[in-house]
Amino acid sequence: MGSNAAIQISHLDKIFLTVRNERVHALSDISLSVAEKEFVTIVGPSGCGKSTLLKIMAGLIPASSGTLRVVGQPVLKPRRDIGIVFQNPILLPWRTVLENVLLPAEVQGLPAAATKARARDLLKMVGLADFENKYPGELSGGMQQRAAISRALVCDPAILLMDEPFGALDAMTREQMNLDLQRIWRESGKTIVLITHSIPEAVFLGDRVVVMTPRPGRIACVIDVPLKRPRSLEAMGDPAFGRTSSDIRRLLYSLNDATLVAEGGGLG
Ligand code: ADP
Ligand code: MG
């Protein structure tokens, strides 16, 4: 994986200093390599540092120590070849869907005509072709998140980082978004790292699932998902899907119990 790694993280630590001058050890000794065009998902208990890890990968905040390379280069600030999607789509209410999608391209000063064509293609790919002139308030939550995905892709980043992008959606919309995201990933050839609370979502989407420990977040295990692509929703009924999901669930619960015992919580 070494030479064609899209993202290479080595012995990364993050310690926050709070306003009260307390040290919060968020991430500890994270090493992970993500190959080009790979789809990696990350699960872990709330507060274990998943968002922190994603923000560091995106160049939004610095690591305390360790190294991070994206396509072989150290990351010192946000990069044009990384797109980010957060749980909240954060669309500007006074701009149409198309104008929202075009915003990063405008900020980057990319040529207007070409990016408009690209934005329209992306809206078509996410199923919003007929909604480009609507305003965010006229869209459902799932449609807003589709627009946010188009926006993240408008500058054609090689890497897409997603932080619980479907966490606010209802179960059926979420399954549909999982299917659509798999298709978009396959069609676009992007490298994707996606954080989720949902074990089935992590298994359904990931080539590999990274399981993190409670804070300070470490990588407990990286699990290969033994399911062929493309995966249909029926893949969730596959015995291999069930086995992989329960392995991850058991691991997460055992890690959590170990922390409770260590903190005295497990003793009553
Ligand atoms: P997750 O996304 O896994 O729920 P986060 O990455 O948001 O976890 O947070 C990990 C830990 O770091 C938490 O304990 C959180 O309170 C702490 N943290 C996150 N951001 C900051 C910050 N800017 N200052 C201080 N502590 C922070
Ligand atoms: Mg988070």
Side-chain angles (χ1 to χ4, degrees), residues 180-219:
D180 290 343
L181 181 61
Q182 177 185 230
R183 176 179 52 79
I184 290 165
W185 167 70
R186 287 168 62 85
E187 286 174 5
S188 63
K190 305 294 179 199
T191 304
I192 301 187
V193 178
L194 176 141
I195 289 169
T196 175
H197 262 114
S198 158
I199 296 171
E201 184 167 274
V203 174
F204 181 78
L205 287 172
D207 295 321
R208 292 187 295 153
V209 181
V210 175
V211 182
M212 290 181 63
T213 69
R215 192 165 60 94
R218 300 168 188 270
I219 294 181

Side-chain angles (χ1 to χ4, degrees), residues 86-87 145 163-170 174 195-197 201:
F86 295 103
Q87 178 168 348
Q145 200 54 295
D163 192 354
E164 304 194 25
F166 310 135
L169 304 179
D170 65 86
R174 188 168 186 158
I195 289 169
T196 175
H197 262 114
E201 184 167 274

Side-chain angles (χ1 to χ4, degrees), residues 68-120:
L68 161 68
R69 286 173 181 276
V70 168
V71 293
Q73 300 157 351
V75 176
L76 306 167
K77 57 179 173 54
R79 298 171 56 103
R80 197 154 116 187
D81 54 357
I82 296 182
I84 314 173
V85 178
F86 295 103
Q87 178 168 348
N88 181 341
I90 330 175
L91 301 170
L92 300 178
W94 61 87
R95 285 188 150 225
T96 65
V97 169
L98 182 64
E99 288 165 352
N100 266 286
V101 171
L102 284 169
L103 186 61
E106 282 174 30
V107 172
Q108 301 277 357
L110 302 184
T115 42
K116 201 171 227 177
R118 180 170 168 75
R120 289 207 164 106

